[in-house]
Amino acid sequence: MVGALPAAEALPRPREVTGNGYGGGAKHLHLQLQLPAPPPKQQQQPAEPECEWYEEEIDDDLKLCYALNSVLHRGASKYQEIALLDTKHFGKALIIDGKMQSTEMDEFIYHESLIHPPLLFHPNPKTVFVMGGGEGSAAREALRHKTVQRVVMCDIDQEVVDFCRTYLTANHEAFSSDKLCLIINDARVELEKSRERFDVIVGDLADPVEGGPCYQLYTKSFYEHIVKPKLNDHGIFVTQAGPAGVLTHKEVFSSIYNTLRHVFKYVQAYTAHVPSFADTWGWVMASDHPFDLNAQQLNERIKGRIVGELVYLSGECLISSTTLNKSVHQSLLNETHVYTEDDARFIYGHGRACCA
């Protein structure tokens, strides 16, 4: 979760490798800060209670508003703008480039759903590669598995990583773990040049938005020529796959699912409602080996492998999350679009491609 602000101190730093390129952590819906204009100096009036809001634009004619207690911190890198907000409803919220990443109240839903299913279905996961994930929550969850010996987290933006390492206190232990190798680089380039193969590869990436670079990490060529060759035998790939609600699943979710079906023998889509995203969210797992565990077997692995209690996920919950409603299920079966560089789909919003 997004933690309370820590006292100023030097935080332990894992081994880092620097580089250039594209990358980043998971990004979601467009936000715009709405602040009241101050009264003119010549018209001094009694102070009124402050009313600050973040306005999240989901579509041209649909917006959500989040009431704020305060803006805790703002910063910027050459790639992204960063903010930590204290919202009235969801607690502390991490915002990158005006897009909500996670909130204190419900980030565990997203990150438990992203990380634990592939690691539980894998017979003995020891190595994990996280594309993006700069806030550290994906690495935190992966490091809870007793079998995991090494987590490589590759994010492009040093400033975002440093910001999260400083202000998201719940992830301090993960950032200081000897098992974490933090690399600052383009995740695509880093994975392509790596001589290492992994048991699990995780796409904790920005949503594919028009004008942004991350859509290239959802393409058939990327999955086929870069991701799959870097998986060990019985390896599993998982990616966040955007909104998966009745009204939103055709934006990118169904296409990502269908694209992975052209690369891997077994592909499993699953969903969960994330309140702060105001929608059902989707993830997709893919492997050349079947996902054939039942709820009891998953619960046994949760008990035997994971340090501490999961807040959201159980064997029964994981199995039920793969049962999609009729509308979404039918769309996935009927989807024909394959994600390519020349034929991409985007969610609503505007990306920002940055050069080093």
Side-chain angles (χ1 to χ4, degrees):
M1 298 181 182
V2 180
L5 295 179
E9 58 180 350
L11 299 175
R13 300 173 69 93
R15 182 172 68 86
E16 300 181 7
V17 182
T18 58
N20 297 308
Y22 293 130
K27 298 180 181 178
H28 305 294
L29 303 175
H30 177 66
L31 299 171
Q32 182 179 359
L33 184 62
Q34 301 290 326
L35 300 176
K41 291 183 178 180
Q42 66 272 20
Q43 297 180 1
Q44 296 295 331
Q45 299 177 358
E48 296 182 1
E50 290 187 358
C51 180
E52 298 180 349
W53 295 80
Y54 249 130
E55 186 178 87
E56 182 167 326
E57 190 171 311
I58 298 176
D59 211 331
D60 288 330
D61 55 2
L62 182 62
K63 297 178 181 180
L64 293 173
C65 292
Y66 296 79
L68 302 180
N69 290 317
S70 62
V71 177
L72 298 175
H73 187 84
R74 288 176 180 168
S77 72
K78 63 180 180 180
Y79 299 108
Q80 303 168 108
E81 295 178 353
I82 317 159
L84 186 65
L85 310 180
D86 183 11
T87 70
K88 292 183 181 294
H89 195 78
F90 293 106
K92 296 179 182 68
L94 176 66
I95 312 296
I96 295 180
D97 269 353
K99 300 182 181 185
M100 183 171 289
Q101 310 300 293
S102 62
T103 72
E104 184 176 19
M105 294 300 293
D106 65 4
E107 64 87 14
F108 63 90
I109 302 174
Y110 174 93
H111 290 107
E112 287 190 13
S113 298
L114 174 69
I115 295 299
H116 296 301
L119 269 69
L120 289 170
F121 274 107
H122 193 282
N124 187 28
K126 296 181 179 179
T127 55
V128 180
F129 186 96
V130 179
M131 300 186 292
E135 71 179 89
S137 299
R140 177 197 71 208
E141 294 300 317
L143 289 166
R144 295 177 66 182
H145 284 254
K146 298 174 184 177
T147 62
V148 169
Q149 300 173 359
R150 174 174 162 84
V151 175
V152 178
M153 186 179 85
C154 184
D155 195 286
I156 190 178
D157 200 325
Q158 181 75 65
E159 285 81 0
V160 168
V161 172
D162 287 344
F163 177 93
C164 293
R165 181 161 42 195
T166 300
Y167 291 102
L168 306 189
T169 58
N171 296 338
H172 280 180
E173 185 176 349
F175 276 117
S176 62
S177 173
D178 292 337
K179 295 180 179 180
L180 178 66
C181 175
L182 173 60
I183 298 174
I184 305 301
N185 199 1
D186 171 0
R188 180 189 183 108
V189 170
E190 188 64 32
L191 192 60
E192 187 173 21
K193 75 179 184 180
S194 174
R195 296 181 179 180
E196 187 176 1
R197 299 176 73 184
F198 301 89
D199 296 319
V200 175
I201 296 177
V202 179
D204 190 11
L205 298 161
D207 293 319
V209 293
E210 192 166 8
C214 280
Y215 77 91
Q216 300 173 37
L217 279 67
Y218 294 91
T219 61
K220 180 176 181 289
S221 62
F222 177 65
Y223 295 148
E224 186 173 21
H225 301 301
I226 298 178
V227 171
K228 190 172 182 178
K230 292 303 165 66
L231 286 171
N232 287 322
D233 187 33
H234 287 87
I236 298 175
F237 171 67
V238 66
T239 182
Q240 79 88 16
V246 172
L247 302 181
T248 55
H249 67 275
K250 293 183 181 180
E251 292 177 2
V252 294
F253 179 57
S254 60
S255 178
I256 293 169
Y257 171 80
N258 187 57
T259 302
L260 283 166
R261 286 204 302 175
H262 283 73
V263 179
F264 292 90
K265 293 180 180 178
Y266 300 94
V267 178
Q268 181 64 67
Y270 58 102
T271 64
H273 179 70
V274 182
S276 61
F277 295 169
D279 205 346
T280 300
W281 215 253
W283 300 265
V284 183
M285 287 189 299
S287 178
D288 283 341
H289 296 268
F291 304 107
D292 56 3
L293 299 179
N294 59 35
Q296 180 180 347
Q297 291 170 317
L298 288 167
N299 280 329
E300 289 172 356
R301 288 192 174 183
I302 290 172
K303 183 178 180 180
R305 291 185 180 185
I306 298 177
V307 177
E309 293 288 329
L310 297 182
V311 181
Y312 178 75
L313 210 61
S314 66
E316 292 79 7
C317 176
L318 201 167
I319 294 298
S320 67
S321 71
T322 66
T323 302
L324 309 179
N325 67 68
K326 183 177 180 180
S327 175
V328 176
H329 175 70
Q330 201 63 43
S331 291
L332 265 60
L333 290 180
N334 296 334
E335 183 62 74
T336 60
H337 180 260
V338 174
Y339 220 102
T340 68
E341 288 82 356
D342 297 325
D343 188 12
R345 287 182 180 176
F346 304 102
I347 68 165
Y348 182 87
H350 301 282
R352 180 171 146 195
C354 300
C355 298

